[in-house]
mmCIF file of all heavy atoms in Angstrom:
data_model
loop_
_atom_site.group_PDB
_atom_site.id
_atom_site.type_symbol
_atom_site.label_atom_id
_atom_site.label_comp_id
_atom_site.label_asym_id
_atom_site.label_seq_id
_atom_site.Cartn_x
_atom_site.Cartn_y
_atom_site.Cartn_z
ATOM 1 N N LEU A 24 99.488 111.290 12.356
ATOM 2 C CA LEU A 24 98.987 109.832 12.662
ATOM 3 C C LEU A 24 97.546 109.975 13.072
ATOM 4 O O LEU A 24 97.179 110.832 13.837
ATOM 5 C CB LEU A 24 99.925 109.442 13.896
ATOM 6 C CG LEU A 24 101.389 109.175 13.480
ATOM 7 C CD1 LEU A 24 102.063 108.822 14.919
ATOM 8 C CD2 LEU A 24 101.734 108.213 12.536
ATOM 9 N N LYS A 25 96.916 108.938 12.672
ATOM 10 C CA LYS A 25 95.469 108.724 12.948
ATOM 11 C C LYS A 25 95.440 107.702 14.043
ATOM 12 O O LYS A 25 95.555 106.457 13.833
ATOM 13 C CB LYS A 25 94.569 108.350 11.680
ATOM 14 C CG LYS A 25 93.164 108.186 12.158
ATOM 15 C CD LYS A 25 92.275 107.744 10.888
ATOM 16 C CE LYS A 25 90.819 107.732 11.215
ATOM 17 N NZ LYS A 25 90.087 107.324 9.964
ATOM 18 N N GLY A 26 95.060 108.167 15.319
ATOM 19 C CA GLY A 26 95.028 107.246 16.456
ATOM 20 C C GLY A 26 93.716 106.637 16.758
ATOM 21 O O GLY A 26 92.874 106.681 15.983
ATOM 22 N N LYS A 27 93.478 106.219 18.092
ATOM 23 C CA LYS A 27 92.295 105.653 18.399
ATOM 24 C C LYS A 27 91.070 106.760 18.414
ATOM 25 O O LYS A 27 91.425 107.876 18.804
ATOM 26 C CB LYS A 27 92.403 105.078 19.923
ATOM 27 C CG LYS A 27 93.329 103.827 19.973
ATOM 28 C CD LYS A 27 93.350 103.302 21.475
ATOM 29 C CE LYS A 27 94.001 102.000 21.529
ATOM 30 N NZ LYS A 27 94.066 101.414 22.953
ATOM 31 N N GLY A 28 90.050 106.287 18.131
ATOM 32 C CA GLY A 28 88.844 107.153 17.990
ATOM 33 C C GLY A 28 88.986 108.139 17.001
ATOM 34 O O GLY A 28 88.411 109.324 16.984
ATOM 35 N N SER A 29 89.807 107.920 15.935
ATOM 36 C CA SER A 29 90.025 108.686 14.763
ATOM 37 C C SER A 29 90.519 110.169 15.081
ATOM 38 O O SER A 29 90.207 111.098 14.494
ATOM 39 C CB SER A 29 88.687 108.944 13.990
ATOM 40 O OG SER A 29 88.223 107.743 13.425
ATOM 41 N N LYS A 30 91.321 110.110 16.236
ATOM 42 C CA LYS A 30 92.046 111.353 16.591
ATOM 43 C C LYS A 30 93.294 111.462 15.957
ATOM 44 O O LYS A 30 94.134 110.594 15.909
ATOM 45 C CB LYS A 30 92.117 111.358 18.102
ATOM 46 C CG LYS A 30 90.746 111.407 18.968
ATOM 47 C CD LYS A 30 91.042 111.362 20.487
ATOM 48 C CE LYS A 30 89.659 111.491 21.117
ATOM 49 N NZ LYS A 30 89.851 111.490 22.634
ATOM 50 N N TYR A 31 93.665 112.656 15.433
ATOM 51 C CA TYR A 31 94.860 112.878 14.736
ATOM 52 C C TYR A 31 96.014 113.617 15.639
ATOM 53 O O TYR A 31 95.482 114.465 16.514
ATOM 54 C CB TYR A 31 94.538 113.665 13.400
ATOM 55 C CG TYR A 31 93.970 113.009 12.394
ATOM 56 C CD1 TYR A 31 92.667 113.003 12.257
ATOM 57 C CD2 TYR A 31 94.647 112.339 11.384
ATOM 58 C CE1 TYR A 31 91.898 112.292 11.219
ATOM 59 C CE2 TYR A 31 94.036 111.697 10.446
ATOM 60 C CZ TYR A 31 92.661 111.616 10.228
ATOM 61 O OH TYR A 31 92.122 111.134 9.261
ATOM 62 N N ARG A 32 97.158 113.344 15.467
ATOM 63 C CA ARG A 32 98.172 113.991 16.124
ATOM 64 C C ARG A 32 99.398 114.213 15.282
ATOM 65 O O ARG A 32 99.495 113.435 14.362
ATOM 66 C CB ARG A 32 98.586 113.306 17.479
ATOM 67 C CG ARG A 32 99.219 111.942 17.329
ATOM 68 C CD ARG A 32 99.631 111.314 18.640
ATOM 69 N NE ARG A 32 100.385 110.192 18.555
ATOM 70 C CZ ARG A 32 99.956 109.042 18.228
ATOM 71 N NH1 ARG A 32 98.683 108.755 17.906
ATOM 72 N NH2 ARG A 32 100.874 107.908 18.296
ATOM 73 N N ILE A 33 100.272 115.167 15.543
ATOM 74 C CA ILE A 33 101.393 115.390 14.785
ATOM 75 C C ILE A 33 102.667 114.993 15.657
ATOM 76 O O ILE A 33 102.796 115.324 16.749
ATOM 77 C CB ILE A 33 101.481 116.896 14.521
ATOM 78 C CG1 ILE A 33 100.166 117.501 13.528
ATOM 79 C CG2 ILE A 33 102.828 117.219 13.708
ATOM 80 C CD1 ILE A 33 100.125 116.774 12.222
ATOM 81 N N VAL A 34 103.497 114.205 14.962
ATOM 82 C CA VAL A 34 104.640 113.641 15.497
ATOM 83 C C VAL A 34 105.842 114.068 14.805
ATOM 84 O O VAL A 34 105.963 113.980 13.588
ATOM 85 C CB VAL A 34 104.681 112.107 15.773
ATOM 86 C CG1 VAL A 34 105.912 111.677 16.359
ATOM 87 C CG2 VAL A 34 103.471 111.682 16.731
ATOM 88 N N PRO A 35 106.954 114.655 15.431
ATOM 89 C CA PRO A 35 108.146 114.946 14.716
ATOM 90 C C PRO A 35 108.816 113.776 14.078
ATOM 91 O O PRO A 35 108.782 112.681 14.669
ATOM 92 C CB PRO A 35 108.999 115.655 15.849
ATOM 93 C CG PRO A 35 108.121 115.927 16.942
ATOM 94 C CD PRO A 35 107.114 114.860 16.933
ATOM 95 N N ILE A 36 109.389 113.929 12.887
ATOM 96 C CA ILE A 36 110.372 112.956 12.285
ATOM 97 C C ILE A 36 111.835 113.371 12.662
ATOM 98 O O ILE A 36 112.289 114.419 12.217
ATOM 99 C CB ILE A 36 110.143 112.897 10.849
ATOM 100 C CG1 ILE A 36 108.810 112.473 10.406
ATOM 101 C CG2 ILE A 36 111.186 112.058 10.162
ATOM 102 C CD1 ILE A 36 108.405 112.548 8.924
ATOM 103 N N GLY A 37 112.481 112.457 13.441
ATOM 104 C CA GLY A 37 113.816 112.758 13.809
ATOM 105 C C GLY A 37 114.821 112.599 12.651
ATOM 106 O O GLY A 37 114.319 112.083 11.604
ATOM 107 N N SER A 38 116.007 112.993 12.847
ATOM 108 C CA SER A 38 117.016 112.988 11.734
ATOM 109 C C SER A 38 117.267 111.674 11.131
ATOM 110 O O SER A 38 117.426 111.420 10.027
ATOM 111 C CB SER A 38 118.337 113.657 12.214
ATOM 112 O OG SER A 38 118.809 113.091 13.373
ATOM 113 N N LEU A 39 117.352 110.655 12.102
ATOM 114 C CA LEU A 39 117.823 109.283 11.711
ATOM 115 C C LEU A 39 116.635 108.594 10.963
ATOM 116 O O LEU A 39 116.813 107.953 9.952
ATOM 117 C CB LEU A 39 118.193 108.506 12.898
ATOM 118 C CG LEU A 39 119.452 108.879 13.567
ATOM 119 C CD1 LEU A 39 119.795 107.900 14.806
ATOM 120 C CD2 LEU A 39 120.721 108.943 12.643
ATOM 121 N N LEU A 40 115.345 108.856 11.523
ATOM 122 C CA LEU A 40 114.239 108.285 10.691
ATOM 123 C C LEU A 40 114.060 108.997 9.480
ATOM 124 O O LEU A 40 113.786 108.402 8.478
ATOM 125 C CB LEU A 40 112.874 108.599 11.591
ATOM 126 C CG LEU A 40 111.587 108.076 10.921
ATOM 127 C CD1 LEU A 40 111.697 106.676 10.526
ATOM 128 C CD2 LEU A 40 110.442 108.432 11.943
ATOM 129 N N ARG A 41 114.372 110.266 9.331
ATOM 130 C CA ARG A 41 114.228 111.029 8.064
ATOM 131 C C ARG A 41 115.218 110.429 6.915
ATOM 132 O O ARG A 41 114.845 110.198 5.914
ATOM 133 C CB ARG A 41 114.564 112.443 8.279
ATOM 134 C CG ARG A 41 114.220 113.362 7.180
ATOM 135 C CD ARG A 41 114.860 114.865 7.284
ATOM 136 N NE ARG A 41 114.115 115.755 6.249
ATOM 137 C CZ ARG A 41 114.575 115.807 4.968
ATOM 138 N NH1 ARG A 41 115.699 114.919 4.612
ATOM 139 N NH2 ARG A 41 114.060 116.440 4.181
ATOM 140 N N GLN A 42 116.402 110.019 7.498
ATOM 141 C CA GLN A 42 117.348 109.352 6.603
ATOM 142 C C GLN A 42 116.771 108.083 5.922
ATOM 143 O O GLN A 42 116.926 107.678 4.736
ATOM 144 C CB GLN A 42 118.691 109.137 7.253
ATOM 145 C CG GLN A 42 119.462 110.364 7.630
ATOM 146 C CD GLN A 42 120.688 110.039 8.440
ATOM 147 O OE1 GLN A 42 121.221 108.976 8.408
ATOM 148 N NE2 GLN A 42 121.226 111.062 9.148
ATOM 149 N N ASN A 43 116.229 107.244 6.893
ATOM 150 C CA ASN A 43 115.759 105.965 6.431
ATOM 151 C C ASN A 43 114.477 106.169 5.559
ATOM 152 O O ASN A 43 114.277 105.357 4.655
ATOM 153 C CB ASN A 43 115.406 105.035 7.733
ATOM 154 C CG ASN A 43 116.550 104.558 8.310
ATOM 155 O OD1 ASN A 43 117.526 104.202 7.587
ATOM 156 N ND2 ASN A 43 116.643 104.415 9.704
ATOM 157 N N LEU A 44 113.568 107.070 5.947
ATOM 158 C CA LEU A 44 112.414 107.270 5.074
ATOM 159 C C LEU A 44 112.835 107.756 3.691
ATOM 160 O O LEU A 44 112.207 107.306 2.747
ATOM 161 C CB LEU A 44 111.606 108.339 5.781
ATOM 162 C CG LEU A 44 110.543 107.943 6.882
ATOM 163 C CD1 LEU A 44 110.021 109.251 7.538
ATOM 164 C CD2 LEU A 44 109.499 107.125 6.183
ATOM 165 N N THR A 45 113.905 108.597 3.600
ATOM 166 C CA THR A 45 114.243 109.138 2.329
ATOM 167 C C THR A 45 114.759 107.927 1.514
ATOM 168 O O THR A 45 114.524 107.789 0.366
ATOM 169 C CB THR A 45 115.433 110.076 2.623
ATOM 170 O OG1 THR A 45 114.910 111.176 3.260
ATOM 171 C CG2 THR A 45 115.885 110.715 1.176
ATOM 172 N N GLU A 46 115.547 107.057 2.146
ATOM 173 C CA GLU A 46 116.184 105.935 1.436
ATOM 174 C C GLU A 46 115.055 104.909 0.918
ATOM 175 O O GLU A 46 114.915 104.408 -0.230
ATOM 176 C CB GLU A 46 117.160 105.143 2.227
ATOM 177 C CG GLU A 46 118.331 105.791 2.567
ATOM 178 C CD GLU A 46 119.404 105.713 1.491
ATOM 179 O OE1 GLU A 46 119.081 105.011 0.507
ATOM 180 O OE2 GLU A 46 120.479 106.252 1.706
ATOM 181 N N TYR A 47 114.159 104.693 1.768
ATOM 182 C CA TYR A 47 112.790 103.760 1.550
ATOM 183 C C TYR A 47 111.979 104.390 0.444
ATOM 184 O O TYR A 47 111.620 103.624 -0.382
ATOM 185 C CB TYR A 47 112.120 103.628 2.914
ATOM 186 C CG TYR A 47 110.734 102.959 2.561
ATOM 187 C CD1 TYR A 47 110.714 101.576 1.998
ATOM 188 C CD2 TYR A 47 109.548 103.623 2.813
ATOM 189 C CE1 TYR A 47 109.355 101.089 1.700
ATOM 190 C CE2 TYR A 47 108.314 103.093 2.500
ATOM 191 C CZ TYR A 47 108.351 101.785 1.905
ATOM 192 O OH TYR A 47 107.091 101.221 1.680
ATOM 193 N N LEU A 48 111.769 105.651 0.526
ATOM 194 C CA LEU A 48 110.895 106.327 -0.427
ATOM 195 C C LEU A 48 111.497 106.182 -1.845
ATOM 196 O O LEU A 48 110.754 106.327 -2.846
ATOM 197 C CB LEU A 48 110.652 107.792 -0.214
ATOM 198 C CG LEU A 48 109.612 107.953 1.003
ATOM 199 C CD1 LEU A 48 109.572 109.332 1.511
ATOM 200 C CD2 LEU A 48 108.260 107.504 0.638
ATOM 201 N N THR A 49 112.713 106.068 -1.984
ATOM 202 C CA THR A 49 113.473 105.942 -3.208
ATOM 203 C C THR A 49 112.896 104.689 -3.915
ATOM 204 O O THR A 49 112.545 104.701 -5.078
ATOM 205 C CB THR A 49 115.040 105.977 -3.084
ATOM 206 O OG1 THR A 49 115.392 107.082 -2.543
ATOM 207 C CG2 THR A 49 115.596 105.787 -4.567
ATOM 208 N N TYR A 50 112.927 103.570 -3.038
ATOM 209 C CA TYR A 50 112.451 102.355 -3.642
ATOM 210 C C TYR A 50 110.894 102.370 -3.891
ATOM 211 O O TYR A 50 110.280 101.835 -4.739
ATOM 212 C CB TYR A 50 112.663 101.100 -2.627
ATOM 213 C CG TYR A 50 114.092 100.707 -2.586
ATOM 214 C CD1 TYR A 50 115.006 101.162 -1.610
ATOM 215 C CD2 TYR A 50 114.659 100.038 -3.620
ATOM 216 C CE1 TYR A 50 116.229 100.650 -1.614
ATOM 217 C CE2 TYR A 50 116.011 99.602 -3.663
ATOM 218 C CZ TYR A 50 116.804 99.970 -2.527
ATOM 219 O OH TYR A 50 118.111 99.572 -2.622
ATOM 220 N N ARG A 51 110.301 102.943 -2.704
ATOM 221 C CA ARG A 51 108.774 103.065 -2.863
ATOM 222 C C ARG A 51 108.183 103.728 -4.009
ATOM 223 O O ARG A 51 107.245 103.405 -4.660
ATOM 224 C CB ARG A 51 108.319 103.842 -1.489
ATOM 225 C CG ARG A 51 106.825 104.186 -1.457
ATOM 226 C CD ARG A 51 105.952 102.986 -1.254
ATOM 227 N NE ARG A 51 104.474 103.403 -1.157
ATOM 228 C CZ ARG A 51 103.756 103.919 -2.144
ATOM 229 N NH1 ARG A 51 104.202 103.858 -3.276
ATOM 230 N NH2 ARG A 51 102.429 104.159 -1.809
ATOM 231 N N ASN A 52 108.857 104.967 -4.441
ATOM 232 C CA ASN A 52 108.441 105.750 -5.489
ATOM 233 C C ASN A 52 108.652 104.980 -6.884
ATOM 234 O O ASN A 52 107.938 105.222 -7.926
ATOM 235 C CB ASN A 52 109.160 107.027 -5.466
ATOM 236 C CG ASN A 52 108.757 107.857 -4.399
ATOM 237 O OD1 ASN A 52 107.651 107.712 -3.824
ATOM 238 N ND2 ASN A 52 109.651 108.863 -4.019
ATOM 239 N N LYS A 53 109.694 104.021 -6.837
ATOM 240 C CA LYS A 53 109.974 103.364 -8.176
ATOM 241 C C LYS A 53 108.880 102.358 -8.481
ATOM 242 O O LYS A 53 108.723 101.796 -9.570
ATOM 243 C CB LYS A 53 111.334 102.613 -8.101
ATOM 244 C CG LYS A 53 112.545 103.574 -8.153
ATOM 245 C CD LYS A 53 113.728 102.805 -7.954
ATOM 246 C CE LYS A 53 115.059 103.755 -8.045
ATOM 247 N NZ LYS A 53 116.236 102.920 -7.872
ATOM 248 N N LEU A 54 108.094 102.020 -7.478
ATOM 249 C CA LEU A 54 106.954 101.028 -7.692
ATOM 250 C C LEU A 54 105.934 101.576 -8.498
ATOM 251 O O LEU A 54 105.098 100.760 -9.161
ATOM 252 C CB LEU A 54 106.490 100.583 -6.260
ATOM 253 C CG LEU A 54 107.435 99.874 -5.336
ATOM 254 C CD1 LEU A 54 106.538 99.439 -4.084
ATOM 255 C CD2 LEU A 54 108.046 98.494 -5.956
ATOM 256 N N LYS A 55 105.722 102.884 -8.546
ATOM 257 C CA LYS A 55 104.677 103.470 -9.317
ATOM 258 C C LYS A 55 103.351 102.996 -8.953
ATOM 259 O O LYS A 55 102.511 102.760 -9.812
ATOM 260 C CB LYS A 55 104.929 103.406 -10.832
ATOM 261 C CG LYS A 55 106.209 104.102 -11.193
ATOM 262 C CD LYS A 55 106.375 104.186 -12.721
ATOM 263 C CE LYS A 55 107.722 104.790 -13.115
ATOM 264 N NZ LYS A 55 107.991 106.046 -12.744
ATOM 265 N N SER A 56 103.223 102.723 -7.546
ATOM 266 C CA SER A 56 101.826 102.006 -7.208
ATOM 267 C C SER A 56 100.834 103.119 -7.077
ATOM 268 O O SER A 56 101.182 104.243 -6.588
ATOM 269 C CB SER A 56 102.196 101.340 -5.936
ATOM 270 O OG SER A 56 100.910 100.956 -5.250
ATOM 271 N N ILE A 57 99.709 102.789 -7.285
ATOM 272 C CA ILE A 57 98.547 103.777 -7.055
ATOM 273 C C ILE A 57 98.021 103.611 -5.673
ATOM 274 O O ILE A 57 97.255 104.571 -5.252
ATOM 275 C CB ILE A 57 97.282 103.469 -8.051
ATOM 276 C CG1 ILE A 57 96.745 102.001 -7.699
ATOM 277 C CG2 ILE A 57 97.765 103.569 -9.572
ATOM 278 C CD1 ILE A 57 95.540 101.789 -8.451
ATOM 279 N N ASN A 58 98.665 102.740 -4.800
ATOM 280 C CA ASN A 58 98.251 102.686 -3.465
ATOM 281 C C ASN A 58 98.804 103.916 -2.681
ATOM 282 O O ASN A 58 100.052 104.193 -2.872
ATOM 283 C CB ASN A 58 98.833 101.295 -2.894
ATOM 284 C CG ASN A 58 98.198 100.876 -1.528
ATOM 285 O OD1 ASN A 58 98.079 101.640 -0.649
ATOM 286 N ND2 ASN A 58 97.694 99.678 -1.534
ATOM 287 N N SER A 59 98.005 104.456 -1.822
ATOM 288 C CA SER A 59 98.430 105.689 -1.261
ATOM 289 C C SER A 59 99.124 105.403 0.178
ATOM 290 O O SER A 59 99.718 106.480 0.704
ATOM 291 C CB SER A 59 97.169 106.554 -0.865
ATOM 292 O OG SER A 59 96.313 105.913 -0.064
ATOM 293 N N PHE A 60 99.311 104.213 0.658
ATOM 294 C CA PHE A 60 99.703 104.046 1.927
ATOM 295 C C PHE A 60 101.443 104.034 1.761
ATOM 296 O O PHE A 60 101.921 103.547 0.905
ATOM 297 C CB PHE A 60 99.323 102.714 2.544
ATOM 298 C CG PHE A 60 97.857 102.627 2.930
ATOM 299 C CD1 PHE A 60 96.894 102.093 2.026
ATOM 300 C CD2 PHE A 60 97.505 103.335 3.987
ATOM 301 C CE1 PHE A 60 95.487 102.147 2.337
ATOM 302 C CE2 PHE A 60 96.081 103.341 4.266
ATOM 303 C CZ PHE A 60 95.153 102.759 3.474
ATOM 304 N N LEU A 61 101.964 104.506 2.935
ATOM 305 C CA LEU A 61 103.413 104.579 2.969
ATOM 306 C C LEU A 61 104.111 103.199 2.891
ATOM 307 O O LEU A 61 105.033 103.021 2.116
ATOM 308 C CB LEU A 61 103.816 105.348 4.287
ATOM 309 C CG LEU A 61 105.409 105.432 4.513
ATOM 310 C CD1 LEU A 61 106.115 106.204 3.497
ATOM 311 C CD2 LEU A 61 105.559 105.986 5.932
ATOM 312 N N PHE A 62 103.683 102.197 3.768
ATOM 313 C CA PHE A 62 104.219 100.983 3.831
ATOM 314 C C PHE A 62 103.572 99.970 3.120
ATOM 315 O O PHE A 62 102.303 99.834 3.274
ATOM 316 C CB PHE A 62 104.618 100.487 5.262
ATOM 317 C CG PHE A 62 105.591 101.388 6.030
ATOM 318 C CD1 PHE A 62 105.125 102.212 7.067
ATOM 319 C CD2 PHE A 62 106.854 101.364 5.605
ATOM 320 C CE1 PHE A 62 105.996 103.020 7.692
ATOM 321 C CE2 PHE A 62 107.856 102.221 6.266
ATOM 322 C CZ PHE A 62 107.365 103.029 7.347
ATOM 323 N N LEU A 63 104.088 99.309 2.120
ATOM 324 C CA LEU A 63 103.474 98.366 1.176
ATOM 325 C C LEU A 63 104.009 97.033 1.361
ATOM 326 O O LEU A 63 105.160 96.748 1.687
ATOM 327 C CB LEU A 63 103.593 98.736 -0.297
ATOM 328 C CG LEU A 63 103.040 100.132 -0.606
ATOM 329 C CD1 LEU A 63 103.285 100.301 -2.176
ATOM 330 C CD2 LEU A 63 101.578 100.264 -0.293
#
């Protein structure tokens, strides 16, 4: 994550968030968007 003052930090992804991210990325990847951001 890029926080205030352009400081980066690493945050764990929990098991439940991982499940939701995996499901969402299935739809996200089908868009074949050239946009690099996770949430569109």
Side-chain angles (χ1 to χ4, degrees):
L24 299 173
K25 183 179 181 181
K27 290 184 175 180
S29 297
K30 294 179 181 178
Y31 288 89
R32 70 183 185 280
I33 301 297
V34 174
I36 294 175
S38 58
L39 296 178
L40 176 57
R41 190 184 193 284
Q42 291 176 20
N43 284 326
L44 274 170
T45 302
E46 293 277 1
Y47 166 67
L48 285 170
T49 302
Y50 288 104
R51 170 70 175 76
N52 294 335
K53 288 179 182 178
L54 300 178
K55 300 187 184 302
S56 172
I57 62 172
N58 199 310
S59 63
F60 293 100
L61 174 63
F62 294 111
L63 301 180

